[in-house]
Amino acid sequence: MTGGSGTASAGDRAAILIGVAAIALAGFVFGTSLPTEFRFVNIGPVGAGLLVVGGILSIVSGIIRRRVLRSFAGALLIGAALTQLVGLALSIRPLGGDASAMAVLGGLGIGLLSLSLSPAPAAQPNDPTKGQP
Amino acid sequence: MSTAVGPLVEAPGVARSSAVMIAVLRCGVALMWIQNVAWKVPPDFGRANNNGLYFWASQAVEHPVLAPYSAFVDGVVLPNIEVFGWFTLLVEGGLGAFLLIGLATRFWAVVGLGQTLAITLSVLFAPNEWQWSYYLMGLAHLAIFATAAGRCYGIDGVLRPTWLASSGRLSRLMVRLS
């Protein structure tokens, strides 16, 4: 599916849901003032910015039904997660935060790539009676 | 309700409210792993200051739960904490990532059970620990496995129809793991 008309597929809706989740989780960039008990994700401004960009791309990909955009968003987030992983090994934090940011970025990125790389659902068999008066 | 409740749910017979609660359970457990992977800090994972993962792993030796496991931690894990630390970081990061999106959820529920067992054997008898924390962690993963929680608002629920319709090896594998 590279775009088209008709109702949104489950994949499109899932991409919108993942995008919303990415933007919501980016909110943890403001979580440093939270008590530790509620600080589920530690993420810096760069990581949060990437989550927001990836989330917006994902939402747009679901609305306009463009798989290539979904792939791009997924690759962006997975790239960010891998960057954080390498940063952890080198004791630097390119995206701010820690390994929790890597898990969130990686998870959402893997989800988007899975949605974009899976085969399109089989087309409905053509019903010759449909559209007839 | 006797049919699937929506396009993001592939669980016949599950009411929408139940599907939402199953998804909340899965995402909540994912956040638990995500929050707790944060204090697995390379490169020495706390060896230099006797804190972090090194300290908690050493509790298996200080307060043994199962003698063979304590001997394994003492003789193999602690001397090689850098290797086991990275393994722990990747496993717990993977648990958080995959449970969050609900992909291969049943597989990751089994991984979570295994990791919970390792943690339980390390710290169950450590001072000030509430043993039911670890029992509940295990039970939560059992519930995720039993309900195949990724089929409710997870990637498994979206892609399973495609996997089921395919005869490819990867699709058949994913059907089993989801």
Side-chain angles (χ1 to χ4, degrees):
Chain A
M1 180 176 60
T2 57
S5 58
T7 57
S9 70
D12 298 324
R13 292 175 193 224
I16 293 171
L17 188 61
I18 288 178
V20 170
I23 293 169
L25 288 165
F28 277 102
V29 71
F30 303 112
T32 49
S33 58
L34 285 172
T36 311
E37 289 82 357
F38 302 114
R39 215 179 300 155
F40 300 129
V41 182
N42 294 311
I43 194 163
V46 177
L50 287 168
L51 269 180
V52 170
V53 171
I56 291 171
L57 289 175
S58 181
I59 292 170
V60 172
S61 82
I63 292 171
I64 66 173
R65 307 177 66 203
R66 294 281 177 183
R67 277 191 176 223
V68 65
L69 196 55
R70 200 170 304 163
S71 303
F72 182 74
L76 175 74
L77 296 182
I78 288 176
L82 292 174
T83 302
Q84 185 79 337
L85 183 64
V86 172
L88 287 167
L90 301 175
S91 297
I92 56 173
R93 306 292 168 84
L95 311 183
D98 49 35
S100 62
M102 175 201 73
V104 167
L105 288 158
L108 297 176
I110 289 166
L112 287 172
L113 266 193
S114 303
L115 290 173
S116 58
L117 297 179
S118 68
Q124 294 294 318
N126 187 31
D127 183 349
T129 63
K130 280 196 174 171
Q132 299 291 325
Chain B
M1 193 175 291
S2 60
T3 57
V5 293
L8 298 181
V9 178
E10 213 269 322
V14 175
R16 183 186 299 274
S17 57
S18 298
V20 169
M21 284 187 269
I22 290 169
V24 168
L25 168 72
R26 172 174 55 78
C27 292
V29 172
L31 283 175
M32 179 199 72
W33 288 117
I34 287 169
Q35 186 177 30
N36 282 280
V37 78
W39 55 268
K40 277 71 180 185
V41 184
D44 75 346
F45 295 93
R47 183 203 292 272
N49 299 315
N50 191 31
N51 60 15
L53 181 63
Y54 184 87
F55 170 80
W56 288 105
S58 70
Q59 296 301 292
V61 182
E62 301 278 331
H63 307 281
V65 177
L66 185 68
Y69 183 77
S70 297
F72 174 72
V73 170
D74 196 24
V76 180
V77 175
L78 291 177
N80 301 290
I81 192 67
E82 291 81 4
V83 174
F84 282 91
W86 272 106
F87 178 76
T88 304
L89 189 151
L90 293 175
V91 167
E92 295 189 3
L95 277 161
F98 282 86
L99 290 178
L100 184 67
I101 57 170
L103 178 62
T105 305
R106 280 188 145 169
F107 167 75
W108 284 101
V110 173
V111 173
L113 273 173
Q115 186 67 1
T116 299
L117 181 64
I119 294 169
T120 304
L121 290 176
S122 296
V123 299
L124 188 68
F125 293 164
N128 304 314
E129 292 297 301
W130 185 51
Q131 75 273 22
W132 272 100
S133 302
Y134 308 104
Y135 304 157
L136 286 170
M137 274 173 66
L139 293 170
H141 288 93
L142 272 183
I144 288 171
F145 184 92
T147 57
R151 300 182 200 176
C152 297
Y153 301 100
I155 302 292
D156 289 341
V158 176
L159 297 183
R160 263 182 74 86
T162 306
W163 295 333
L164 286 166
S166 169
S167 58
R169 272 186 168 183
L170 182 61
S171 295
R172 288 205 307 269
L173 177 67
M174 292 309 296
V175 166
R176 296 176 72 88
L177 299 183
S178 64

